[in-house]
Amino acid sequence: MRTTLPPEVIILREFLAGDDRYVSGNRLAERLDISRVAVWSHMEKLRSAGFVFEARPRLGYRLEAIPSGLSALYLQASLPDAWSHVPIHFHETIDSTNREAERLLASGASAPFVVLARQQTEGRGRLGRSWFSGDSGNLYLSFVFQPRLPPRRMQTFTLWMGAILCDFLNGLRNAPVRVKWPNDLLLHGGKIGGMLTEARIDHDRIRDLVFGLGLNVNGDTASYPPELVRTATSLAAETGEKLELNSFAADLLQAILDAYRDFTEGVPERRFRQLWSRYDTLVGRTITVRQGNETLSGIAEGIDDEGRLILRTADGTRRPVSAGDVTLRKD
Ligand code: BTN
């Protein structure tokens, strides 16, 4: 269902459509079919949300600066045409964006939509763990989709998203990000991100799917709890450069939405395998996998068609592992 975008978002889209361009008040009034006075009041709202405009007689307005903190208006306006109507539900603080996504679904919200928070009080991790989610310039996001696909098609979904996220993050300077099966994003061996996919299934169809992503972007590792200091890091801590959070998040949202579209349209097996093996941090390394009460050790040999991790144990047996917690032996 198409919803009408708020006037502030439509106005921002006009400014973002071209670089450094002046947009006249008349044009905005025509575009929104409102009076010049009404345009002025929407511009004031944008100003109070942290946007800075230069106003020039006869030329109109030019967008000079965007807010330094995460801006839902900016992100909504930055979505490309194909995704511009995907609602972004923004929260300063929420228990968990995945949980909020479930609440919205339960109240009848239709997918796709995105939930984004500046911080979470009960961020959820995989295997019942918690996800540290302080307000430190990191991103906490949940994407909600209704893929109408048979559940077996989703076996490789999180792996595909992990490979795409690596590809996206490798586009940044000095960020050779790798994926650790099944859901960790690593940079220089430290964890910078985690994915948590939660789906509701109606016998042979996926009813809805929540793809949660926690990404440590500008986080100062000194603020992390002591138990994470050894394992977790952030993009900024590793690259030495803070990222402009709004434009980074806008590109990230697009990359994830496009990756979802490609996945549902059917990603060629070869493309998936190529990407996965380019960024797989485990392949060829000695690892230990904890699966319930069982602990297995061996050499990682990539993944199979169902997205299972292939482990070659000391006796030469090839063991596919469908879930578990992997530790790498320090070489
Ligand atoms: C993991 O590595 O264990 C997965 C962590 C996933 C964390 C994200 S943060 C946004 C979304 N909301 C949550 O409560 N969890 C996911």
Side-chain angles (χ1 to χ4, degrees):
M1 197 189 62
R2 292 230 135 185
T3 46
T4 318
L5 293 171
E8 287 76 22
V9 172
I10 298 176
I11 291 176
L12 275 180
R13 285 181 71 80
E14 289 294 312
F15 285 100
L16 298 175
D19 280 346
D20 227 18
R21 93 196 241 271
Y22 285 92
V23 181
S24 72
N26 276 342
R27 180 180 161 77
L28 295 174
E30 267 168 36
R31 175 77 184 74
L32 288 156
D33 198 15
I34 56 175
S35 68
R36 288 288 304 272
V37 175
V39 167
W40 184 84
S41 94
H42 292 304
M43 295 295 288
E44 283 307 294
K45 273 198 198 152
L46 284 166
R47 285 194 168 106
S48 59
F51 293 90
V52 180
F53 297 95
E54 177 204 9
R56 280 280 227 28
R58 284 186 300 279
L59 284 174
Y61 303 97
R62 190 175 65 87
L63 177 59
E64 261 187 351
I66 62 172
S68 54
L70 266 185
S71 158
L73 283 170
Y74 177 81
L75 294 177
Q76 188 74 61
S78 301
L79 288 176
D81 289 348
W83 300 113
S84 61
H85 287 78
V86 173
I88 300 175
H89 301 267
F90 178 74
H91 299 269
E92 289 290 331
T93 304
I94 193 102
D95 48 359
S96 146
T97 55
N98 271 32
R99 196 176 298 160
E100 174 64 6
E102 287 163 6
R103 285 191 290 259
L104 286 166
L105 282 168
S107 69
S110 57
F113 62 87
V114 177
V115 185
L116 166 66
R118 207 190 298 280
Q119 64 180 333
Q120 301 182 117
T121 52
E122 288 170 50
R124 282 190 212 163
R126 207 171 137 255
L127 306 171
R129 297 186 184 129
S130 60
W131 182 260
F132 171 68
S133 312
D135 175 13
S136 48
N138 294 334
L139 290 174
Y140 313 108
L141 285 154
S142 296
F143 293 79
V144 183
F145 302 112
Q146 279 157 339
R148 312 267 173 244
L149 290 172
R152 64 172 169 72
R153 279 270 280 110
M154 300 313 292
Q155 285 163 333
T156 51
F157 178 73
T158 309
L159 306 185
W160 166 248
M161 297 308 267
I164 288 288
L165 283 166
C166 281
D167 212 38
F168 170 77
L169 296 167
N170 274 261
L172 301 171
R173 226 165 352 146
N174 301 326
V177 176
R178 295 289 176 266
V179 61
K180 175 170 163 254
W181 183 94
N183 72 320
D184 290 354
L185 298 171
L186 306 183
L187 180 52
H188 303 144
K191 185 155 168 170
I192 58 155
M195 299 170 283
L196 180 67
T197 306
E198 299 178 298
R200 285 192 301 175
I201 294 167
D202 285 330
H203 42 274
D204 60 343
R205 278 275 175 279
I206 304 215
R207 195 193 313 169
D208 39 57
L209 177 140
V210 178
F211 172 70
L213 172 69
L215 193 60
N216 300 340
V217 183
N218 289 330
D220 174 5
T221 45
S223 70
Y224 291 1
E227 66 277 15
L228 291 184
V229 168
R230 232 170 28 87
T231 51
T233 185
S234 71
L235 280 164
E238 297 302 313
T239 61
E241 272 175 53
K242 284 212 171 191
L243 291 165
E244 201 292 297
L245 203 55
N246 279 309
S247 48
F248 174 77
D251 292 344
L252 178 74
L253 285 172
Q254 181 173 355
I256 291 175
L257 292 166
D258 288 349
Y260 168 76
R261 181 206 51 218
D262 292 351
F263 187 85
T264 50
E265 285 175 359
V267 176
E269 181 70 21
R270 227 170 70 93
R271 176 154 179 244
F272 170 46
R273 290 208 160 268
Q274 259 175 2
L275 267 189
W276 180 266
S277 43
R278 189 178 308 158
Y279 298 118
D280 178 5
T281 197
L282 297 181
V283 70
R285 298 175 73 177
T286 305
I287 59 170
T288 299
V289 188
R290 262 203 323 276
Q291 232 189 341
N293 292 332
E294 200 183 11
T295 302
L296 297 165
S297 290
I299 300 195
E301 291 193 342
I303 53 169
D304 68 8
D305 293 352
E306 293 169 35
R308 295 177 300 182
L309 174 72
I310 303 300
L311 188 70
R312 180 79 60 186
T313 56
D315 63 2
T317 317
R318 206 171 162 271
R319 291 279 303 258
V321 179
S322 43
D325 207 14
V326 176
T327 11
L328 272 159
R329 197 185 66 187
K330 293 253 178 305
D331 294 316

